[in-house]
Amino acid sequence: MRIAAFFLLCLGLFSCGMPANRPVDVFVWDQLLAHEDPNQVEPVGKCDVDGFLAEMERFPWHDQADEALKIRKNSPTLSVTDLKSDRSFFISPAVDDKGRLGYFVGYVYPGEERTRARRYVSMYEVEQMEAIREMVVLFFRRDEVALKRLLGKFPKYMDARDNTDWEKYLKMKQKFI
């Protein structure tokens, strides 16, 4: 009886604070418009690949890129997060001085254990929405190898380490547990 009580106590202690780290098989999406405060962005809700592709079709890419260029507040973004794998994919439009539309796509993934950066961000420059659609499908399939291979075909804009938004991410994840 003591042994069973001891194991139950240990199980209870180890499970405290763990729900935010438990895998949740859900994709959630959000959007940030050019005039919005990036600190106030909340997930819109759960989605699947078809739903997210439909949101991509509805998003006013060129208008938002033009507005962002004028007001210079932030970069409009459509993003999806896989709560099971702790990875995110985002798309942000931009226009050049000739009014041509292009996109920055980013892939956010967990950092290595025992490092300061809890997440890494790799951003690429992509001109064609069709390539981005293919990336989204691979992201939803959780085919990281194929996704990274496809991303590698495009010019890399930057790599970064992100340690700042981890707590915000965990709070967002908690809502869907």
Side-chain angles (χ1 to χ4, degrees), residues 33-52:
L33 300 178
H35 64 276
E36 293 178 328
D37 180 357
N39 294 319
Q40 302 300 318
V41 173
E42 288 290 324
V44 175
K46 298 176 185 180
C47 66
D48 61 9
V49 66
D50 294 328
F52 191 74

Side-chain angles (χ1 to χ4, degrees), residues 1-165:
M1 187 66 171
R2 286 184 191 178
I3 293 174
F6 174 75
F7 282 115
L8 287 174
L9 177 63
C10 288
L11 181 63
L13 290 173
F14 286 117
S15 66
C16 290
M18 299 267 297
N21 295 326
R22 185 176 61 213
V24 180
D25 195 2
V26 170
F27 290 89
V28 295
W29 74 281
D30 62 68
Q31 72 177 9
L32 172 67
L33 300 178
H35 64 276
E36 293 178 328
D37 180 357
N39 294 319
Q40 302 300 318
V41 173
E42 288 290 324
V44 175
K46 298 176 185 180
C47 66
D48 61 9
V49 66
D50 294 328
F52 191 74
L53 289 171
E55 291 303 328
M56 287 173 57
E57 290 297 318
R58 284 192 281 274
F59 194 83
W61 298 107
H62 210 285
D63 293 341
Q64 282 296 299
D66 286 338
E67 185 177 344
L69 188 62
K70 289 176 190 168
I71 64 175
R72 298 189 187 273
K73 184 172 182 178
N74 64 47
S75 184
T77 305
L78 194 62
S79 66
V80 61
T81 299
D82 178 2
L83 298 182
K84 183 176 182 179
S85 69
D86 290 340
R87 286 162 168 71
S88 297
F89 185 84
F90 65 86
I91 311 149
S92 188
V95 290
D96 65 13
D97 55 352
K98 296 178 182 173
R100 291 182 298 208
L101 182 63
Y103 308 90
F104 292 104
V105 297
Y107 182 54
V108 184
Y109 51 98
E112 298 166 10
E113 288 188 38
R114 297 186 185 100
T115 60
R116 293 182 105 185
R118 298 205 181 175
R119 303 175 64 72
Y120 294 123
V121 182
S122 295
M123 289 179 62
Y124 300 85
E125 298 175 43
V126 180
E127 294 181 12
Q128 299 299 320
M129 183 55 79
E130 190 55 41
I132 297 172
R133 284 187 197 95
E134 187 177 344
M135 291 173 195
V136 166
V137 169
L138 292 172
F139 179 79
F140 273 89
R141 286 185 189 157
R142 296 181 175 123
D143 190 345
E144 186 172 27
V145 172
L147 177 60
K148 284 185 172 183
R149 186 177 324 125
L150 182 55
L151 285 167
K153 294 180 180 181
F154 296 93
K156 187 173 272 191
Y157 180 70
M158 65 176 269
D159 279 324
R161 295 175 185 209
D162 175 26
N163 198 24
T164 58
D165 286 334

